[in-house]
Amino acid sequence: MSRTVFLLTALFGVAGCSAVSPTDPAEGVGSVVAHLTLTAQDRNALPCCVTDSANVQITIIDGALTFRGPADYRDTVFTPGGPMSRACVHEVPNGASVNTFTHLVTRSDGTSYLQLPCDRGTYTLVVVRRLDHASGSSATDSVTVSSGTFTAKPDTVNLADSANTSAFTASVTGATILVTAPAHQYRFDPGP
């Protein structure tokens, strides 16, 4: 038995399957639906991973994995919170609770699963670096490691990088998403 849960933040609501035709126009980039903070690179907690490049020490100090939902609702569903994309409307089991910070749905038996607020959209993986120059000066910059589209279902996130659709993979454990890239592995946990 299931119950319908409506949240005005467009995180979870009434059940529905998304039927998207390959001939549908591309959807625009919508608002942020999930933001996870980089907590480790290659199993090293931040700040980490000092490298030397042309007398510049580069240290990873921060980063984020940001998910945005669809902006154009080619599959609009009308909910008590207003119209929204069917991709951002979900059914949860009867008696389940939804943590809107971690995106974990906890069933009445205590088991849980990650459910991103939308089943599809765009993502961006960014790392923030500190650059320490030999002269003693320091600066920070941010680098977009990957961006593209995502699809999601309970405990599963698929990333399709815009430059190489198979270069980045994601695995889910609880509220943690581990992204494996060609050269590094990035751990993301719920964050501000």
Side-chain angles (χ1 to χ4, degrees), residues 27-171:
E27 291 179 302
V29 177
S31 60
V32 172
V33 295
H35 181 85
L36 289 86
T37 301
L38 179 65
T39 56
Q41 178 178 303
D42 301 329
R43 297 191 180 124
N44 297 306
L46 300 185
C48 74
C49 317
V50 177
T51 60
D52 191 5
S53 175
N55 292 326
V56 177
Q57 271 193 330
I58 302 170
T59 307
I60 305 298
I61 60 171
D62 199 3
L65 179 60
T66 304
F67 296 95
R68 294 178 176 275
D72 308 321
Y73 302 162
R74 60 184 178 215
D75 58 353
T76 302
V77 174
F78 294 93
T79 73
M84 60 183 58
S85 172
R86 186 176 303 277
C88 305
V89 179
H90 303 282
E91 183 176 5
V92 297
N94 192 28
S97 63
V98 180
N99 184 316
T100 58
F101 177 71
T102 63
H103 310 295
L104 285 176
V105 176
T106 304
R107 298 178 190 98
S108 57
D109 66 3
T111 60
S112 62
Y113 59 91
L114 179 74
Q115 176 72 62
L116 286 182
C118 295
D119 293 344
R120 68 174 186 278
T122 60
Y123 78 94
T124 307
L125 188 165
V126 173
V127 296
V128 178
R129 309 179 306 173
R130 184 180 66 233
L131 310 171
D132 296 312
H133 300 274
S135 65
S137 65
S138 183
T140 60
D141 70 1
S142 63
V143 177
T144 299
V145 175
S146 177
S147 65
T149 59
F150 78 91
T151 57
K153 57 186 180 182
D155 274 341
T156 304
V157 176
N158 295 303
L159 306 176
D161 181 80
S162 58
N164 185 348
T165 57
S166 62
F168 292 82
T169 61
S171 60

